Amino acid sequence: MEQWQKDIKESIDDVETLEKMLGVPAEEVREIVEQYPMRITPHVFKLIREKGDSIWKQVVPTAEEDHPDAACDSEDPLHEEKDSPVPNLVHRYPDRVLLVITNQCPIYCRFCTRKRFVGSPGTLTPENLKQVVDYISAHTEIRDIILSGGDPLMVVDMLLERVLKALRAIPHLEIIRIGTRVPGTLPSRITENLCNMLKKYHPLYMNLHFNHPDEITPEVAKACGMLADAGIPLGSQTVLLEGVNDDPEVMKRLMQKLLSIRVKPYYIYQADLVKGTHHFRTRVEKGLKIISALRGHTSGMAVPHYVIDAPGGGGKVAILPQDTLLYLDDDQAIVKNYEEKTFKYSQPNVPKEVNKDAASFWVVPHDTD
């Protein structure tokens, strides 16, 4: 048994151990955990400093998960099951698909988009994999696949390689991506054997899930370094969470720390409308405030896209502060920077009949004098 598998066995995954280790009364959360499984790895347990801190809130179940939610909340708010042509595969965008290869995760985030099934038994079977390969092979417009779950790195190397090898045999499938929270919550899983196996299947990318700067530890930095040294470009995905990271300074420290361990900030997600997660959601204005606070106040490399994954399967929609482009016409653009100063940018001279893009933009009129 490898060290990471021992760490999983030593994780907190029952209410009696939770009560013993963290003082949470077992009877308060027993029904919650029966519905929505819990797992806290030894690594994450060590990061908890006090009750209710930013790490605690992400992993410790609470009775709030069973409170009546907003009417719009759903078990499957992104309509993934509706967009699933074969089991385990989601095909929403024209040229890319998402493949769920396991329901298991190193930890079970209390705000998870797939709260409805993560933690339940289930791993991609050879029969399922054949259906997936047959579907992708028949749809030559698909050039990009994201391995997700659960967490793809929770399966052993041999099974993960079986999936990667089958996908790499599809000629028109150019890019493979892996979405994972393992490096930040189970860093012992990132081994030399895993890295040596992964680098045989380039171009391979990884998006890593981090929500708070306290998650960036020396062990995590080492794990990310091993992946980066294997030639895997690393990006980050962060969920905006009430009381966890909904603060511009906290988010700035997280993004800066990610860059320092060779992870490029990619997305900040507005929390999805998932049943049982209402207490985690912030107003969209908070996300806009955070993006405005990042721009110009830290490296552009540290500024991710802020997105809402549109309810009902509409896909990701980038949300931007609306006051940076103040005016646009055939002659000039007027823009505002992070210091609230305005600047004029002269447009190149192009005959109006050639400038086909002019009617594509609408900007609130601005006094140019």
Side-chain angles (χ1 to χ4, degrees), residues 243-265:
V244 174
N245 57 17
D246 58 332
D247 175 88
E249 283 304 312
V250 170
M251 199 67 84
K252 183 167 72 171
R253 283 194 292 118
L254 172 59
M255 299 306 154
Q256 291 173 336
K257 279 193 168 188
L258 286 170
L259 281 181
S260 75
I261 63 168
R262 301 159 71 180
V263 178
K264 170 70 175 71

mmCIF file of all heavy atoms in Angstrom, residues 243-265:
data_model
loop_
_atom_site.group_PDB
_atom_site.id
_atom_site.type_symbol
_atom_site.label_atom_id
_atom_site.label_comp_id
_atom_site.label_asym_id
_atom_site.label_seq_id
_atom_site.Cartn_x
_atom_site.Cartn_y
_atom_site.Cartn_z
ATOM 1 N N GLY A 243 -17.254 33.686 3.865
ATOM 2 C CA GLY A 243 -16.518 33.422 5.082
ATOM 3 C C GLY A 243 -15.253 32.613 4.907
ATOM 4 O O GLY A 243 -14.568 32.297 5.887
ATOM 5 N N VAL A 244 -14.913 32.291 3.655
ATOM 6 C CA VAL A 244 -13.692 31.528 3.378
ATOM 7 C C VAL A 244 -12.673 32.379 2.627
ATOM 8 O O VAL A 244 -11.528 32.538 3.051
ATOM 9 C CB VAL A 244 -14.004 30.242 2.580
ATOM 10 C CG1 VAL A 244 -12.716 29.534 2.156
ATOM 11 C CG2 VAL A 244 -14.870 29.298 3.403
ATOM 12 N N ASN A 245 -13.111 32.949 1.509
ATOM 13 C CA ASN A 245 -12.177 33.711 0.672
ATOM 14 C C ASN A 245 -12.833 34.929 0.020
ATOM 15 O O ASN A 245 -12.299 35.465 -0.949
ATOM 16 C CB ASN A 245 -11.574 32.813 -0.412
ATOM 17 C CG ASN A 245 -12.643 32.156 -1.282
ATOM 18 O OD1 ASN A 245 -13.805 32.581 -1.308
ATOM 19 N ND2 ASN A 245 -12.262 31.106 -1.996
ATOM 20 N N ASP A 246 -13.984 35.360 0.554
ATOM 21 C CA ASP A 246 -14.709 36.479 -0.060
ATOM 22 C C ASP A 246 -14.167 37.818 0.414
ATOM 23 O O ASP A 246 -14.910 38.708 0.821
ATOM 24 C CB ASP A 246 -16.208 36.366 0.207
ATOM 25 C CG ASP A 246 -16.545 36.337 1.688
ATOM 26 O OD1 ASP A 246 -15.708 35.885 2.484
ATOM 27 O OD2 ASP A 246 -17.658 36.771 2.054
ATOM 28 N N ASP A 247 -12.870 37.957 0.301
ATOM 29 C CA ASP A 247 -12.165 39.149 0.754
ATOM 30 C C ASP A 247 -11.033 39.432 -0.233
ATOM 31 O O ASP A 247 -10.251 38.523 -0.548
ATOM 32 C CB ASP A 247 -11.597 38.917 2.159
ATOM 33 C CG ASP A 247 -10.757 40.078 2.648
ATOM 34 O OD1 ASP A 247 -11.333 41.009 3.246
ATOM 35 O OD2 ASP A 247 -9.526 40.063 2.410
ATOM 36 N N PRO A 248 -10.921 40.656 -0.734
ATOM 37 C CA PRO A 248 -9.895 40.945 -1.753
ATOM 38 C C PRO A 248 -8.475 40.618 -1.319
ATOM 39 O O PRO A 248 -7.687 40.093 -2.113
ATOM 40 C CB PRO A 248 -10.074 42.449 -2.008
ATOM 41 C CG PRO A 248 -11.502 42.726 -1.681
ATOM 42 C CD PRO A 248 -11.820 41.812 -0.522
ATOM 43 N N GLU A 249 -8.121 40.903 -0.069
ATOM 44 C CA GLU A 249 -6.751 40.641 0.375
ATOM 45 C C GLU A 249 -6.471 39.150 0.482
ATOM 46 O O GLU A 249 -5.388 38.681 0.139
ATOM 47 C CB GLU A 249 -6.491 41.334 1.716
ATOM 48 C CG GLU A 249 -6.252 42.820 1.608
ATOM 49 C CD GLU A 249 -5.088 43.163 0.659
ATOM 50 O OE1 GLU A 249 -4.000 42.539 0.796
ATOM 51 O OE2 GLU A 249 -5.271 44.013 -0.220
ATOM 52 N N VAL A 250 -7.445 38.384 0.969
ATOM 53 C CA VAL A 250 -7.278 36.933 1.047
ATOM 54 C C VAL A 250 -7.102 36.349 -0.345
ATOM 55 O O VAL A 250 -6.213 35.524 -0.596
ATOM 56 C CB VAL A 250 -8.485 36.280 1.758
ATOM 57 C CG1 VAL A 250 -8.446 34.751 1.617
ATOM 58 C CG2 VAL A 250 -8.505 36.660 3.229
ATOM 59 N N MET A 251 -7.931 36.797 -1.281
ATOM 60 C CA MET A 251 -7.851 36.271 -2.635
ATOM 61 C C MET A 251 -6.544 36.682 -3.308
ATOM 62 O O MET A 251 -5.938 35.888 -4.048
ATOM 63 C CB MET A 251 -9.055 36.744 -3.451
ATOM 64 C CG MET A 251 -9.304 35.915 -4.692
ATOM 65 S SD MET A 251 -9.840 34.204 -4.361
ATOM 66 C CE MET A 251 -11.597 34.427 -4.138
ATOM 67 N N LYS A 252 -6.083 37.887 -3.042
ATOM 68 C CA LYS A 252 -4.810 38.319 -3.632
ATOM 69 C C LYS A 252 -3.661 37.458 -3.115
ATOM 70 O O LYS A 252 -2.790 37.031 -3.890
ATOM 71 C CB LYS A 252 -4.550 39.793 -3.336
ATOM 72 C CG LYS A 252 -3.267 40.315 -4.003
ATOM 73 C CD LYS A 252 -3.162 41.828 -3.972
ATOM 74 C CE LYS A 252 -2.858 42.354 -2.593
ATOM 75 N NZ LYS A 252 -2.551 43.813 -2.635
ATOM 76 N N ARG A 253 -3.650 37.182 -1.820
ATOM 77 C CA ARG A 253 -2.584 36.337 -1.261
ATOM 78 C C ARG A 253 -2.637 34.942 -1.854
ATOM 79 O O ARG A 253 -1.589 34.331 -2.141
ATOM 80 C CB ARG A 253 -2.710 36.262 0.265
ATOM 81 C CG ARG A 253 -2.212 37.504 0.988
ATOM 82 C CD ARG A 253 -2.028 37.264 2.478
ATOM 83 N NE ARG A 253 -3.290 37.060 3.176
ATOM 84 C CZ ARG A 253 -3.624 35.951 3.811
ATOM 85 N NH1 ARG A 253 -2.793 34.909 3.842
ATOM 86 N NH2 ARG A 253 -4.795 35.857 4.433
ATOM 87 N N LEU A 254 -3.842 34.408 -2.049
ATOM 88 C CA LEU A 254 -3.962 33.091 -2.659
ATOM 89 C C LEU A 254 -3.389 33.086 -4.066
ATOM 90 O O LEU A 254 -2.582 32.216 -4.424
ATOM 91 C CB LEU A 254 -5.431 32.655 -2.688
ATOM 92 C CG LEU A 254 -5.733 31.370 -3.476
ATOM 93 C CD1 LEU A 254 -4.963 30.191 -2.917
ATOM 94 C CD2 LEU A 254 -7.232 31.094 -3.490
ATOM 95 N N MET A 255 -3.776 34.054 -4.880
ATOM 96 C CA MET A 255 -3.310 34.078 -6.270
ATOM 97 C C MET A 255 -1.795 34.264 -6.349
ATOM 98 O O MET A 255 -1.117 33.650 -7.174
ATOM 99 C CB MET A 255 -4.031 35.180 -7.044
ATOM 100 C CG MET A 255 -5.547 35.014 -7.111
ATOM 101 S SD MET A 255 -6.019 33.384 -7.759
ATOM 102 C CE MET A 255 -7.630 33.175 -7.012
ATOM 103 N N GLN A 256 -1.249 35.086 -5.485
ATOM 104 C CA GLN A 256 0.200 35.299 -5.482
ATOM 105 C C GLN A 256 0.939 34.042 -5.036
ATOM 106 O O GLN A 256 1.990 33.692 -5.592
ATOM 107 C CB GLN A 256 0.545 36.489 -4.592
ATOM 108 C CG GLN A 256 0.074 37.819 -5.171
ATOM 109 C CD GLN A 256 0.263 38.983 -4.203
ATOM 110 O OE1 GLN A 256 0.317 38.797 -2.985
ATOM 111 N NE2 GLN A 256 0.326 40.183 -4.731
ATOM 112 N N LYS A 257 0.393 33.360 -4.024
ATOM 113 C CA LYS A 257 1.026 32.121 -3.567
ATOM 114 C C LYS A 257 0.969 31.039 -4.641
ATOM 115 O O LYS A 257 1.910 30.252 -4.800
ATOM 116 C CB LYS A 257 0.354 31.626 -2.282
ATOM 117 C CG LYS A 257 0.827 32.330 -1.019
ATOM 118 C CD LYS A 257 0.369 31.567 0.216
ATOM 119 C CE LYS A 257 1.053 32.072 1.467
ATOM 120 N NZ LYS A 257 0.755 31.222 2.648
ATOM 121 N N LEU A 258 -0.145 30.987 -5.369
ATOM 122 C CA LEU A 258 -0.248 30.003 -6.444
ATOM 123 C C LEU A 258 0.829 30.217 -7.495
ATOM 124 O O LEU A 258 1.488 29.265 -7.934
ATOM 125 C CB LEU A 258 -1.643 30.070 -7.078
ATOM 126 C CG LEU A 258 -2.777 29.485 -6.241
ATOM 127 C CD1 LEU A 258 -4.131 29.833 -6.844
ATOM 128 C CD2 LEU A 258 -2.645 27.977 -6.096
ATOM 129 N N LEU A 259 1.036 31.453 -7.889
ATOM 130 C CA LEU A 259 2.089 31.730 -8.864
ATOM 131 C C LEU A 259 3.456 31.313 -8.334
ATOM 132 O O LEU A 259 4.311 30.834 -9.083
ATOM 133 C CB LEU A 259 2.104 33.217 -9.219
ATOM 134 C CG LEU A 259 1.055 33.702 -10.221
ATOM 135 C CD1 LEU A 259 1.239 35.195 -10.477
ATOM 136 C CD2 LEU A 259 1.144 32.935 -11.545
ATOM 137 N N SER A 260 3.664 31.473 -7.037
ATOM 138 C CA SER A 260 4.976 31.150 -6.455
ATOM 139 C C SER A 260 5.250 29.646 -6.478
ATOM 140 O O SER A 260 6.408 29.224 -6.384
ATOM 141 C CB SER A 260 5.067 31.669 -5.016
ATOM 142 O OG SER A 260 4.313 30.871 -4.122
ATOM 143 N N ILE A 261 4.200 28.820 -6.605
ATOM 144 C CA ILE A 261 4.407 27.368 -6.706
ATOM 145 C C ILE A 261 4.127 26.870 -8.125
ATOM 146 O O ILE A 261 3.850 25.705 -8.346
ATOM 147 C CB ILE A 261 3.578 26.595 -5.664
ATOM 148 C CG1 ILE A 261 2.073 26.790 -5.870
ATOM 149 C CG2 ILE A 261 3.994 26.977 -4.248
ATOM 150 C CD1 ILE A 261 1.212 25.820 -5.051
ATOM 151 N N ARG A 262 4.177 27.789 -9.092
ATOM 152 C CA ARG A 262 4.110 27.477 -10.520
ATOM 153 C C ARG A 262 2.716 27.051 -10.973
ATOM 154 O O ARG A 262 2.542 26.248 -11.890
ATOM 155 C CB ARG A 262 5.145 26.392 -10.883
ATOM 156 C CG ARG A 262 6.565 26.826 -10.551
ATOM 157 C CD ARG A 262 7.519 25.662 -10.411
ATOM 158 N NE ARG A 262 7.808 25.039 -11.700
ATOM 159 C CZ ARG A 262 8.615 23.990 -11.833
ATOM 160 N NH1 ARG A 262 9.178 23.449 -10.772
ATOM 161 N NH2 ARG A 262 8.834 23.479 -13.021
ATOM 162 N N VAL A 263 1.698 27.613 -10.321
ATOM 163 C CA VAL A 263 0.306 27.373 -10.706
ATOM 164 C C VAL A 263 -0.289 28.688 -11.181
ATOM 165 O O VAL A 263 -0.303 29.671 -10.443
ATOM 166 C CB VAL A 263 -0.516 26.817 -9.525
ATOM 167 C CG1 VAL A 263 -1.971 26.616 -9.942
ATOM 168 C CG2 VAL A 263 0.082 25.507 -9.015
ATOM 169 N N LYS A 264 -0.785 28.736 -12.416
ATOM 170 C CA LYS A 264 -1.342 29.955 -12.990
ATOM 171 C C LYS A 264 -2.822 30.079 -12.626
ATOM 172 O O LYS A 264 -3.621 29.201 -12.967
ATOM 173 C CB LYS A 264 -1.198 29.921 -14.512
ATOM 174 C CG LYS A 264 -1.942 31.010 -15.257
ATOM 175 C CD LYS A 264 -1.327 32.386 -15.054
ATOM 176 C CE LYS A 264 -2.025 33.438 -15.907
ATOM 177 N NZ LYS A 264 -3.394 33.763 -15.441
ATOM 178 N N PRO A 265 -3.223 31.136 -11.912
ATOM 179 C CA PRO A 265 -4.651 31.339 -11.631
ATOM 180 C C PRO A 265 -5.477 31.361 -12.925
ATOM 181 O O PRO A 265 -5.130 32.061 -13.874
ATOM 182 C CB PRO A 265 -4.675 32.692 -10.921
ATOM 183 C CG PRO A 265 -3.341 32.767 -10.246
ATOM 184 C CD PRO A 265 -2.383 32.134 -11.233
#
